[in-house]
């Protein structure tokens, strides 16, 4: 039996579901029961009746699944799968920000650790950030950790946004000049569209026809009559874009946009994780409960674009 059949058998035998982010390796996306962006994956993790969730993504995503489904076994095949952006803000930073801005609400991007979430008021993802910021009653909002998403949101709200200086290493690699160079290679008839993730820098986002989450990019491409797309996010999303739109062309805005952390989970580790039901995500209940409130507020309010 090959490894794909073995994984599929184990999934059935153990009543397990495999959730994968849009940046995972192609073979992981292909074997997953559900592939999506952070918001879709959170909703799926909250609603599944599987006994085991194998989360193929990065640590904070698996943690989010555990926060929402504490009675389920949540497994991350390779615990090395971190998120440098999530590591750019700590509980101490939030306590300091709160003492300096006592009337501000704290909105955290889902790319944060469970203990950081537990200190915030509400969570958001790249697909609902502006709706979430506008939903809070405070006139001032501390937005963390991503400075680019926070800056992008500030264009869609009247609230004063207090930014934190975190950033995604992968998205900040893309430079506006690269996009301009690529655009030049297309004629007007090619009707090329540039679509970018809001973790890109402001000068890159200014060039975009559409700014949206990873699954927002998938939706936009499907609906848009153009055949040519420059993709301003992690390149692994192109696997799903091609699979769902075989007649369209996808050009990575930069081949440097590669997130190693999203590539540690592979078929061998997925097989081992399912067999051993390890490595399991555990969160102290006190932190989990507080973080749950923060995510649950988002799930109740957040609209998907
Ligand atoms: P999405 O929620 O758009 O999938 O983004 C997650 C992420 O970590 C982007 O770097």
């Amino acid at each position: 039996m090959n490894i794909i059949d073995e994984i599929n058998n184990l999934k059935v035998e153990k009543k397990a579901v495999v959730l994968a982010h849009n940046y995972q390796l192609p073979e992981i996306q292909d074997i997953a029961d559900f592939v999506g962006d952070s918001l879709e994956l959170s909703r799926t993790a909250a609603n599944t009746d599987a006994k085991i969730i194998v989360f193929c993504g990065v640590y904070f995503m698996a943690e989010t699944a555990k926060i929402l489904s504490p009675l389920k076994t949540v497994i991350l095949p390779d615990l090395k799968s971190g998120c440098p952006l999530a590591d750019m803000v700590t509980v101490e930073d939030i306590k300091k920000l709160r003492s300096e801005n006592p009337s501000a609400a704290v909105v955290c991007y889902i790319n944060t650790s469970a203990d950081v979430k537990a200190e915030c008021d509400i969570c958001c993802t790249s697909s609902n950030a502006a709706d979430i910021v506008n939903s809070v009653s405070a006139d001032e909002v501390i937005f963390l950790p991503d400075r680019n998403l926070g800056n992008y949101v500030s264009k869609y709200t009247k609230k004063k946004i207090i930014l934190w200086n975190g950033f995604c290493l992968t998205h900040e690699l893309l430079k506006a000049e690269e996009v301009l160079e690529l655009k030049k290679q297309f004629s007007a008839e090619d009707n090329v569209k540039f679509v970018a993730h809001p973790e890109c820098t402001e000068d890159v986002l200014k060039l975009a026809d559409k700014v949206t989450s990873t699954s927002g990019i998938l939706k936009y491409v499907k609906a848009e009559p153009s055949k040519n797309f420059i993709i301003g996010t992690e390149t692994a999303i192109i696997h799903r874009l091609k699979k769902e739109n075989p007649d369209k062309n996808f050009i990575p805005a930069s081949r440097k946009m590669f997130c190693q952390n999203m590539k540690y989970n592979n078929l061998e580790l997925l097989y081992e994780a399912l067999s051993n039901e390890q490595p399991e995500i555990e969160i102290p209940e006190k932190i989990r409960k507080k973080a749950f409130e923060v995510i649950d507020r988002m799930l109740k309010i957040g609209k998907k674009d």
Side-chain angles (χ1 to χ4, degrees):
M1 214 179 350
N2 69 34
I3 192 160
I4 293 178
D5 293 337
E6 302 216 39
I7 291 170
N8 283 326
N9 286 348
L10 278 172
K11 283 201 293 189
V12 177
E13 187 189 307
K14 301 210 173 203
K15 293 194 171 47
V17 68
V18 176
L19 308 185
H21 187 265
N22 290 318
Y23 297 156
Q24 289 286 290
L25 290 171
E27 56 274 28
I28 293 284
Q29 295 190 33
D30 291 345
I31 207 164
D33 299 288
F34 182 80
V35 185
D37 69 6
S38 305
L39 183 59
E40 292 171 334
L41 290 167
S42 305
R43 288 195 195 284
T44 309
N47 295 326
T48 179
D49 50 17
K51 276 176 62 185
I52 298 178
I53 299 174
V54 185
F55 206 107
C56 296
V58 288
Y59 198 89
F60 77 82
M61 296 181 177
E63 241 185 6
T64 302
K66 184 67 183 178
I67 292 165
L68 293 168
S69 296
L71 301 179
K72 299 196 166 102
T73 303
V74 177
I75 298 165
L76 177 63
D78 193 331
L79 289 180
K80 277 204 302 302
S81 313
C83 174
L85 167 61
D87 295 338
M88 287 180 193
V89 66
T90 65
V91 167
E92 292 317 309
D93 294 328
I94 296 176
K95 288 187 174 156
K96 187 159 180 282
L97 280 164
R98 279 210 193 266
S99 70
E100 289 164 357
N101 305 279
S103 56
V106 183
V107 176
C108 61
Y109 191 23
I110 196 158
N111 298 41
T112 41
S113 63
D115 54 350
V116 162
K117 285 188 180 79
E119 295 297 322
C120 297
D121 295 310
I122 189 164
C123 182
C124 73
T125 75
S126 60
S127 80
N128 62 16
D131 289 336
I132 297 295
V133 164
N134 285 321
S135 77
V136 304
S137 53
D139 294 329
E140 289 183 16
V141 169
I142 297 166
F143 188 96
L144 51 87
D146 191 87
R147 61 188 179 197
N148 295 313
L149 179 61
N151 182 51
Y152 176 71
V153 164
S154 70
K155 321 268 182 236
Y156 295 92
T157 184
K158 291 195 171 70
K159 294 180 194 292
K160 179 183 169 204
I161 304 291
I162 300 158
L163 292 175
W164 186 247
N165 206 18
F167 61 95
C168 167
L169 275 67
T170 306
H171 284 90
E172 284 216 356
L173 285 174
L174 177 59
K175 302 288 170 241
E177 303 78 64
E178 292 176 274
V179 179
L180 290 169
E181 266 315 301
L182 278 174
K183 281 190 169 196
K184 268 197 233 158
Q185 296 172 17
F186 291 88
S187 65
E189 297 81 71
D190 291 329
N191 188 26
V192 67
K193 299 289 180 199
F194 171 51
V195 53
H197 193 279
E199 288 174 21
C200 292
T201 59
E202 183 172 16
D203 51 348
V204 165
L205 296 181
K206 275 187 191 148
L207 301 173
D209 297 290
K210 178 78 180 171
V211 176
T212 183
S213 73
T214 56
S215 288
I217 292 175
L218 283 138
K219 268 196 203 159
Y220 171 76
V221 162
K222 202 167 267 181
E224 173 58 48
S226 174
K227 288 231 175 298
N228 300 299
F229 297 87
I230 299 170
I231 304 299
T233 194
E234 213 274 348
T235 50
I237 196 175
I238 293 181
H239 173 68
R240 200 175 150 198
L241 283 165
K242 279 187 179 154
K243 209 164 139 180
E244 294 181 8
N245 308 275
D247 57 331
K248 297 188 176 181
N249 303 318
F250 302 103
I251 303 100
S254 166
R255 294 200 182 271
K256 291 186 294 224
M257 295 180 85
F258 174 85
C259 175
Q260 179 57 51
N261 280 291
M262 278 283 180
K263 308 297 180 295
Y264 288 128
N265 300 314
N266 58 37
L267 287 180
E268 286 70 30
L269 289 176
L270 171 55
Y271 171 76
E272 277 175 33
L274 263 169
S275 305
N276 305 327
E277 300 182 23
Q278 288 285 342
E280 208 185 325
I281 303 288
E282 317 246 26
I283 305 169
E285 187 55 12
K286 206 170 145 207
I287 290 176
R288 190 203 66 80
K289 272 191 178 152
K290 283 164 83 183
F292 176 86
E293 292 299 321
V294 171
I295 300 170
D296 192 50
R297 266 177 223 134
M298 166 186 82
L299 293 176
K300 286 185 176 136
I301 294 165
K303 283 195 297 197
K304 185 91 177 76
D305 60 354

